[in-house]
Amino acid sequence: MAALSPEKKKRTTTLTPEDFTAQPEVREAVAKVLADFKGTQPKIVSDVIDDAGHQYVNLVQKGGGVLGIALVGYTYVLEQAGIRFLKLAGTSAGAINTSLMTILKEKEDAKSEAVIQILCDLDFFSFVDGHPAARWLIRNFITHENFNRIMLRWAIIIGSMLVLLPLLCFVFFGLQHQHPALAVITQTAFGLTALGFVAICVFSGWVGSLLSRLKNAGFGINPGDTFYDWIKKIFEANGIHTVEDLTTKARKRPASLRVRENAPQTLENLDGDVTFITAELVTQNKIQFPAMYNLFRAPGDKPIHPAGFVRASMSIPVFFESYMIPDIDCTRPEIVKAWADTFFEKDPPGTARFVDGGVLSNFPMNLFYNPALAQPRLPTFGIDLDDSNPNDKTKNPYFWTGGGYLGRVFNTIRFYYDKDFLIKNSMYQAGVGSIPLQRFKWLNFFLDNQDKVDMFICGAQAAQRFLADFKWEDYKQTQVAARKQLS
């Protein structure tokens, strides 16, 4: 991959959109796509089009922390192919790009370049807005490959000293009666031992106070206020101040939208939409915003800013504080009915607490499944962020570490819901493109410029490969055959 100049690589606030889009690999990917989509026989990927020749698809974007930069590279190439997005959904980082792709400009407009400009202006590490000590630890643990080893080495050294010093104290204490010259060494050993245990007590007290602060802060190291203020400012700069503003913008479809002449369907009930996935802990449910907004507010209640939906979706447990919706008026019949109809919940919570939607559904490909249609009018494209390490994919469980075991337990739980849908509806897999991102860390908020550009390139190349392989007629026929089997 082409490298940036040393000056640009070091500084984190001097990127321009051209630093992303003018990369040779990106230009090559775009050129290949244009050859397929703008030639004498343009490639068809959807039966829903507009008078400008744009083809419309639904888009689902997977969560993955800062790996979301690759999503922008992917959507950039899709837009260069003339593809536009009618319904959008995403979780966590996917929710962030989904929100930007929804609120910027109009549906028929290309939006990725505006998103790239937002990336250029953004200092990712500003989102790590917790205590300075926490910022230092996060920065070092995540960005330095050997930091964990260094910390482990120091822990071993300190632990060994705390074991050996008391032992030396007793040994020299017994020998000093026969060898008075050892008295000085004995006193030094006792002094160092006392200092060590005092340090342990102080450190334990400090850790205890941090844990207490963590609990009081909603079990999150970072408040997440910087992110909320950032995304809210973008929402409002684009005229989105209320939930109604968001849903109106998302549902609006281009005036010239139509289906191809030879397509059997119509545009009936085909409007735009947007969905952000989050997990609500009090009732232990998956929440889809803004569709389920009526669970938390009734007409006339104090409104929630729609930027909170994205903040709720990206609330990585422990890393960020939970997003809270307080003052839910459980006496309102509308709210009681909404909970009963949606989740059979007879006792709605007075306060709701949200964490990252990825703990339940990190890749919600099921959202736009419509069993009522005999044949799809447009495909659902999904962007998968693959940061799995091939070296960790051993099939032999006897070689797993404790961390590896716990990681697999957690991943089995959080990936099962989405994986189960794709297994039962394998035709949707044809719409999924995967971006290989194994060398990047999803929580590395202290990215340098080169990492940002490289992730963007990975996304652009993955989009080009996906479009080259995607066959709309095969996609349609596979879904038609699957529906016949189920009927």
Side-chain angles (χ1 to χ4, degrees):
M1 296 182 180
L4 297 172
S5 66
E7 293 78 11
K8 278 254 171 129
K9 183 172 181 179
K10 289 179 181 178
R11 299 179 64 188
T12 60
T13 58
T14 57
L15 284 173
T16 65
E18 290 71 27
D19 289 318
F20 292 94
T21 60
Q23 293 295 317
E25 298 90 341
V26 176
R27 286 185 171 181
E28 181 182 3
V30 170
K32 290 179 180 179
V33 165
L34 291 178
D36 287 338
F37 284 82
K38 305 296 182 180
T40 55
Q41 291 184 320
K43 185 168 185 175
I44 295 175
V45 297
S46 173
D47 284 341
V48 179
I49 58 175
D50 64 20
D51 289 347
H54 299 132
Q55 303 186 71
Y56 287 80
V57 305
N58 298 328
L59 183 67
V60 178
Q61 301 182 71
K62 189 176 183 180
V66 297
L67 303 183
I69 296 172
L71 297 172
V72 184
Y74 199 105
T75 53
Y76 171 74
V77 169
L78 293 185
E79 288 187 333
Q80 291 297 303
I83 295 171
R84 300 293 184 264
F85 314 110
L86 194 63
K87 298 183 180 182
L88 296 107
T91 301
S92 195
I96 298 172
N97 199 38
T98 290
S99 70
L100 298 176
M101 300 293 288
T102 300
I103 66 174
L104 297 173
K105 303 183 180 182
E106 301 298 330
K107 272 192 166 50
E108 59 268 33
D109 298 325
K111 305 180 182 186
S112 292
E113 290 192 17
V115 177
I116 296 170
Q117 182 62 63
I118 291 173
L119 289 179
C120 293
D121 297 336
L122 176 63
D123 175 13
F124 280 80
F125 198 61
S126 67
F127 293 161
V128 184
D129 54 357
H131 190 277
R135 290 168 61 89
W136 181 85
L137 286 172
I138 290 170
R139 179 172 176 174
N140 283 279
F141 270 111
I142 293 173
T143 60
H144 296 290
E145 294 286 348
N146 296 323
F147 192 76
N148 290 356
R149 295 180 183 178
I150 293 172
M151 294 297 291
L152 179 61
R153 187 181 306 125
W154 274 104
I156 292 173
I157 292 172
I158 293 172
S160 299
M161 290 179 63
L162 292 175
V163 171
L164 292 174
L165 282 174
L167 182 62
L168 290 174
C169 288
F170 286 108
V171 171
F172 286 117
F173 183 77
L175 292 175
Q176 69 178 354
H177 297 292
Q178 298 179 354
H179 305 281
L182 295 177
V184 175
I185 299 177
T186 303
Q187 293 172 3
T188 302
F190 270 105
L192 291 174
T193 302
L195 285 175
F197 280 103
V198 168
I200 289 177
C201 292
V202 172
F203 180 75
S204 299
W206 180 68
V207 170
S209 68
L210 287 181
L211 292 175
S212 178
R213 288 180 58 183
L214 187 66
K215 178 181 178 182
N216 295 334
F219 295 103
I221 296 172
N222 300 291
D225 295 338
T226 302
F227 174 84
Y228 177 80
D229 293 340
W230 172 77
I231 196 70
K232 180 181 178 182
K233 183 178 180 180
I234 297 174
F235 269 56
E236 295 188 344
N238 288 275
I240 308 299
H241 301 272
T242 67
V243 175
E244 184 178 2
D245 291 338
L246 175 64
T247 55
T248 299
K249 183 74 176 283
R251 289 171 182 168
K252 184 180 179 181
R253 66 188 188 189
S256 65
L257 196 71
R258 57 186 173 85
V259 296
R260 296 183 186 278
E261 293 182 1
N262 59 344
Q265 306 95 337
T266 68
L267 290 180
E268 184 179 4
N269 299 322
L270 187 62
D271 294 317
D273 195 13
V274 65
T275 302
F276 310 116
I277 302 296
T278 184
E280 202 286 305
L281 298 184
V282 178
T283 61
Q284 303 173 42
N285 285 304
K286 182 181 81 169
I287 302 297
Q288 299 172 195
F289 281 128
M292 295 182 181
Y293 177 65
N294 64 334
L295 295 171
F296 309 97
R297 290 292 186 267
D301 288 347
K302 181 181 178 181
I304 300 168
H305 197 285
F309 301 159
V310 187
R311 170 66 177 85
S313 183
M314 56 73 69
S315 301
I316 302 168
V318 181
F319 196 88
F320 287 111
E321 291 181 15
S322 306
Y323 178 73
M324 312 286 277
I325 295 182
D327 305 321
I328 303 170
D329 190 351
C330 300
T331 65
R332 295 289 297 270
E334 302 96 321
I335 290 180
V336 174
K337 185 178 186 301
W339 279 97
D341 291 346
T342 306
F343 294 119
F344 304 103
E345 181 68 54
K346 297 180 180 179
D347 184 23
T351 297
R353 184 173 198 162
F354 302 90
V355 294
D356 194 305
V359 303
L360 289 178
S361 180
N362 204 36
F363 195 30
M365 286 292 293
N366 65 304
L367 284 177
F368 305 131
Y369 174 66
N370 187 353
L373 287 177
Q375 180 174 306
R377 293 170 285 190
L378 73 172
T380 294
F381 285 176
I383 311 177
D384 182 22
L385 300 174
D386 182 13
D387 63 341
S388 58
N389 187 341
N391 296 327
D392 292 338
K393 290 183 176 178
T394 175
K395 298 293 184 180
N396 190 340
Y398 293 105
F399 291 100
W400 294 351
T401 62
Y405 167 76
L406 293 176
R408 283 174 169 81
V409 170
F410 180 65
N411 287 337
T412 299
I413 295 170
R414 72 190 188 105
F415 291 148
Y416 178 77
Y417 185 84
D418 299 326
K419 185 177 180 181
D420 183 58
F421 173 80
L422 288 173
I423 290 173
K424 293 177 179 177
N425 302 274
S426 58
M427 62 277 192
Y428 273 80
Q429 191 66 52
V432 175
S434 182
I435 308 175
L437 297 164
Q438 286 79 11
R439 73 182 185 86
F440 302 102
K441 297 179 180 180
W442 69 284
L443 275 179
N444 182 10
F445 282 80
F446 197 73
L447 293 165
D448 63 26
N449 284 342
Q450 190 66 59
D451 286 335
K452 296 175 185 177
V453 171
D454 288 349
M455 274 194 272
F456 184 91
I457 291 171
C458 288
Q461 292 176 324
Q464 184 275 316
R465 292 191 298 268
F466 167 76
L467 290 175
D469 294 337
F470 182 77
K471 295 178 175 59
W472 172 230
E473 289 301 322
D474 289 352
Y475 182 94
K476 286 195 294 186
Q477 294 308 314
T478 300
Q479 293 209 24
V480 169
R483 285 186 171 89
K484 286 182 179 179
Q485 290 180 352
L486 295 173
S487 61

PDB file of all heavy atoms in Angstrom, residues 106-123:
ATOM      1  N   GLU A 106     -28.945  14.137   0.058  1.00  0.00           N
ATOM      2  CA  GLU A 106     -30.166  13.397  -0.275  1.00  0.00           C
ATOM      3  C   GLU A 106     -29.802  11.985  -0.714  1.00  0.00           C
ATOM      4  O   GLU A 106     -28.651  11.692  -1.022  1.00  0.00           O
ATOM      5  CB  GLU A 106     -30.933  14.120  -1.398  1.00  0.00           C
ATOM      6  CG  GLU A 106     -31.335  15.546  -1.063  1.00  0.00           C
ATOM      7  CD  GLU A 106     -32.283  15.623   0.123  1.00  0.00           C
ATOM      8  OE1 GLU A 106     -33.063  14.665   0.338  1.00  0.00           O
ATOM      9  OE2 GLU A 106     -32.243  16.638   0.846  1.00  0.00           O
ATOM     10  N   LYS A 107     -30.801  11.119  -0.779  1.00  0.00           N
ATOM     11  CA  LYS A 107     -30.531   9.714  -1.078  1.00  0.00           C
ATOM     12  C   LYS A 107     -29.867   9.504  -2.437  1.00  0.00           C
ATOM     13  O   LYS A 107     -29.070   8.583  -2.621  1.00  0.00           O
ATOM     14  CB  LYS A 107     -31.829   8.899  -1.003  1.00  0.00           C
ATOM     15  CG  LYS A 107     -32.127   8.390   0.395  1.00  0.00           C
ATOM     16  CD  LYS A 107     -33.222   7.375   0.387  1.00  0.00           C
ATOM     17  CE  LYS A 107     -33.295   6.618   1.709  1.00  0.00           C
ATOM     18  NZ  LYS A 107     -33.327   7.465   2.900  1.00  0.00           N
ATOM     19  N   GLU A 108     -30.204  10.351  -3.395  1.00  0.00           N
ATOM     20  CA  GLU A 108     -29.630  10.179  -4.726  1.00  0.00           C
ATOM     21  C   GLU A 108     -28.215  10.742  -4.842  1.00  0.00           C
ATOM     22  O   GLU A 108     -27.557  10.565  -5.877  1.00  0.00           O
ATOM     23  CB  GLU A 108     -30.530  10.826  -5.787  1.00  0.00           C
ATOM     24  CG  GLU A 108     -30.768  12.307  -5.586  1.00  0.00           C
ATOM     25  CD  GLU A 108     -32.008  12.615  -4.774  1.00  0.00           C
ATOM     26  OE1 GLU A 108     -32.338  11.818  -3.869  1.00  0.00           O
ATOM     27  OE2 GLU A 108     -32.643  13.659  -5.048  1.00  0.00           O
ATOM     28  N   ASP A 109     -27.732  11.399  -3.800  1.00  0.00           N
ATOM     29  CA  ASP A 109     -26.398  12.009  -3.824  1.00  0.00           C
ATOM     30  C   ASP A 109     -25.340  11.050  -3.283  1.00  0.00           C
ATOM     31  O   ASP A 109     -25.605  10.250  -2.383  1.00  0.00           O
ATOM     32  CB  ASP A 109     -26.378  13.282  -2.972  1.00  0.00           C
ATOM     33  CG  ASP A 109     -27.322  14.351  -3.495  1.00  0.00           C
ATOM     34  OD1 ASP A 109     -27.467  14.459  -4.723  1.00  0.00           O
ATOM     35  OD2 ASP A 109     -27.919  15.062  -2.664  1.00  0.00           O
ATOM     36  N   ALA A 110     -24.131  11.170  -3.815  1.00  0.00           N
ATOM     37  CA  ALA A 110     -22.986  10.474  -3.237  1.00  0.00           C
ATOM     38  C   ALA A 110     -22.592  11.170  -1.940  1.00  0.00           C
ATOM     39  O   ALA A 110     -22.534  12.399  -1.883  1.00  0.00           O
ATOM     40  CB  ALA A 110     -21.823  10.454  -4.222  1.00  0.00           C
ATOM     41  N   LYS A 111     -22.331  10.407  -0.908  1.00  0.00           N
ATOM     42  CA  LYS A 111     -22.101  10.994   0.412  1.00  0.00           C
ATOM     43  C   LYS A 111     -20.736  10.663   1.007  1.00  0.00           C
ATOM     44  O   LYS A 111     -20.311  11.295   1.958  1.00  0.00           O
ATOM     45  CB  LYS A 111     -23.190  10.514   1.373  1.00  0.00           C
ATOM     46  CG  LYS A 111     -24.597  10.791   0.870  1.00  0.00           C
ATOM     47  CD  LYS A 111     -25.645  10.299   1.846  1.00  0.00           C
ATOM     48  CE  LYS A 111     -27.047  10.541   1.323  1.00  0.00           C
ATOM     49  NZ  LYS A 111     -28.096  10.196   2.299  1.00  0.00           N
ATOM     50  N   SER A 112     -20.070   9.656   0.455  1.00  0.00           N
ATOM     51  CA  SER A 112     -18.842   9.177   1.084  1.00  0.00           C
ATOM     52  C   SER A 112     -17.750  10.224   1.141  1.00  0.00           C
ATOM     53  O   SER A 112     -16.978  10.277   2.101  1.00  0.00           O
ATOM     54  CB  SER A 112     -18.332   7.927   0.351  1.00  0.00           C
ATOM     55  OG  SER A 112     -19.209   6.844   0.536  1.00  0.00           O
ATOM     56  N   GLU A 113     -17.661  11.084   0.128  1.00  0.00           N
ATOM     57  CA  GLU A 113     -16.618  12.107   0.159  1.00  0.00           C
ATOM     58  C   GLU A 113     -16.850  13.089   1.306  1.00  0.00           C
ATOM     59  O   GLU A 113     -15.894  13.570   1.922  1.00  0.00           O
ATOM     60  CB  GLU A 113     -16.557  12.816  -1.183  1.00  0.00           C
ATOM     61  CG  GLU A 113     -16.007  11.923  -2.300  1.00  0.00           C
ATOM     62  CD  GLU A 113     -15.674  12.691  -3.549  1.00  0.00           C
ATOM     63  OE1 GLU A 113     -15.556  13.933  -3.476  1.00  0.00           O
ATOM     64  OE2 GLU A 113     -15.517  12.056  -4.612  1.00  0.00           O
ATOM     65  N   ALA A 114     -18.122  13.380   1.602  1.00  0.00           N
ATOM     66  CA  ALA A 114     -18.419  14.239   2.754  1.00  0.00           C
ATOM     67  C   ALA A 114     -18.055  13.528   4.049  1.00  0.00           C
ATOM     68  O   ALA A 114     -17.564  14.154   5.002  1.00  0.00           O
ATOM     69  CB  ALA A 114     -19.894  14.622   2.754  1.00  0.00           C
ATOM     70  N   VAL A 115     -18.277  12.214   4.100  1.00  0.00           N
ATOM     71  CA  VAL A 115     -17.903  11.433   5.284  1.00  0.00           C
ATOM     72  C   VAL A 115     -16.381  11.425   5.433  1.00  0.00           C
ATOM     73  O   VAL A 115     -15.853  11.538   6.546  1.00  0.00           O
ATOM     74  CB  VAL A 115     -18.446   9.993   5.202  1.00  0.00           C
ATOM     75  CG1 VAL A 115     -17.987   9.180   6.407  1.00  0.00           C
ATOM     76  CG2 VAL A 115     -19.967   9.999   5.114  1.00  0.00           C
ATOM     77  N   ILE A 116     -15.664  11.311   4.322  1.00  0.00           N
ATOM     78  CA  ILE A 116     -14.196  11.329   4.362  1.00  0.00           C
ATOM     79  C   ILE A 116     -13.703  12.655   4.943  1.00  0.00           C
ATOM     80  O   ILE A 116     -12.763  12.684   5.740  1.00  0.00           O
ATOM     81  CB  ILE A 116     -13.611  11.100   2.951  1.00  0.00           C
ATOM     82  CG1 ILE A 116     -13.976   9.702   2.445  1.00  0.00           C
ATOM     83  CG2 ILE A 116     -12.087  11.266   2.977  1.00  0.00           C
ATOM     84  CD1 ILE A 116     -13.644   9.476   0.984  1.00  0.00           C
ATOM     85  N   GLN A 117     -14.336  13.746   4.553  1.00  0.00           N
ATOM     86  CA  GLN A 117     -13.934  15.043   5.091  1.00  0.00           C
ATOM     87  C   GLN A 117     -14.144  15.089   6.597  1.00  0.00           C
ATOM     88  O   GLN A 117     -13.316  15.636   7.339  1.00  0.00           O
ATOM     89  CB  GLN A 117     -14.739  16.162   4.425  1.00  0.00           C
ATOM     90  CG  GLN A 117     -14.350  17.560   4.888  1.00  0.00           C
ATOM     91  CD  GLN A 117     -12.906  17.894   4.565  1.00  0.00           C
ATOM     92  OE1 GLN A 117     -12.511  17.952   3.401  1.00  0.00           O
ATOM     93  NE2 GLN A 117     -12.081  18.121   5.597  1.00  0.00           N
ATOM     94  N   ILE A 118     -15.231  14.495   7.062  1.00  0.00           N
ATOM     95  CA  ILE A 118     -15.476  14.421   8.508  1.00  0.00           C
ATOM     96  C   ILE A 118     -14.367  13.622   9.192  1.00  0.00           C
ATOM     97  O   ILE A 118     -13.886  13.990  10.271  1.00  0.00           O
ATOM     98  CB  ILE A 118     -16.862  13.799   8.775  1.00  0.00           C
ATOM     99  CG1 ILE A 118     -17.964  14.766   8.330  1.00  0.00           C
ATOM    100  CG2 ILE A 118     -17.029  13.460  10.255  1.00  0.00           C
ATOM    101  CD1 ILE A 118     -19.355  14.182   8.386  1.00  0.00           C
ATOM    102  N   LEU A 119     -13.933  12.523   8.556  1.00  0.00           N
ATOM    103  CA  LEU A 119     -12.828  11.731   9.105  1.00  0.00           C
ATOM    104  C   LEU A 119     -11.549  12.548   9.175  1.00  0.00           C
ATOM    105  O   LEU A 119     -10.785  12.455  10.137  1.00  0.00           O
ATOM    106  CB  LEU A 119     -12.595  10.480   8.251  1.00  0.00           C
ATOM    107  CG  LEU A 119     -13.640   9.375   8.302  1.00  0.00           C
ATOM    108  CD1 LEU A 119     -13.237   8.239   7.370  1.00  0.00           C
ATOM    109  CD2 LEU A 119     -13.814   8.858   9.718  1.00  0.00           C
ATOM    110  N   CYS A 120     -11.315  13.349   8.145  1.00  0.00           N
ATOM    111  CA  CYS A 120     -10.096  14.167   8.115  1.00  0.00           C
ATOM    112  C   CYS A 120     -10.068  15.171   9.265  1.00  0.00           C
ATOM    113  O   CYS A 120      -8.995  15.500   9.788  1.00  0.00           O
ATOM    114  CB  CYS A 120      -9.997  14.899   6.781  1.00  0.00           C
ATOM    115  SG  CYS A 120      -9.720  13.830   5.350  1.00  0.00           S
ATOM    116  N   ASP A 121     -11.230  15.655   9.627  1.00  0.00           N
ATOM    117  CA  ASP A 121     -11.314  16.671  10.681  1.00  0.00           C
ATOM    118  C   ASP A 121     -11.379  16.079  12.082  1.00  0.00           C
ATOM    119  O   ASP A 121     -11.389  16.825  13.064  1.00  0.00           O
ATOM    120  CB  ASP A 121     -12.567  17.536  10.460  1.00  0.00           C
ATOM    121  CG  ASP A 121     -12.521  18.301   9.144  1.00  0.00           C
ATOM    122  OD1 ASP A 121     -11.399  18.525   8.649  1.00  0.00           O
ATOM    123  OD2 ASP A 121     -13.594  18.646   8.615  1.00  0.00           O
ATOM    124  N   LEU A 122     -11.422  14.764  12.179  1.00  0.00           N
ATOM    125  CA  LEU A 122     -11.681  14.109  13.463  1.00  0.00           C
ATOM    126  C   LEU A 122     -10.410  13.608  14.130  1.00  0.00           C
ATOM    127  O   LEU A 122      -9.584  12.941  13.492  1.00  0.00           O
ATOM    128  CB  LEU A 122     -12.659  12.940  13.251  1.00  0.00           C
ATOM    129  CG  LEU A 122     -12.973  12.067  14.469  1.00  0.00           C
ATOM    130  CD1 LEU A 122     -13.665  12.875  15.555  1.00  0.00           C
ATOM    131  CD2 LEU A 122     -13.833  10.875  14.050  1.00  0.00           C
ATOM    132  N   ASP A 123     -10.268  13.899  15.402  1.00  0.00           N
ATOM    133  CA  ASP A 123      -9.226  13.302  16.239  1.00  0.00           C
ATOM    134  C   ASP A 123      -9.861  12.151  17.008  1.00  0.00           C
ATOM    135  O   ASP A 123     -10.602  12.352  17.966  1.00  0.00           O
ATOM    136  CB  ASP A 123      -8.660  14.339  17.204  1.00  0.00           C
ATOM    137  CG  ASP A 123      -7.654  13.748  18.187  1.00  0.00           C
ATOM    138  OD1 ASP A 123      -7.217  12.599  17.965  1.00  0.00           O
ATOM    139  OD2 ASP A 123      -7.317  14.435  19.172  1.00  0.00           O
TER     140      ASP A 123
END
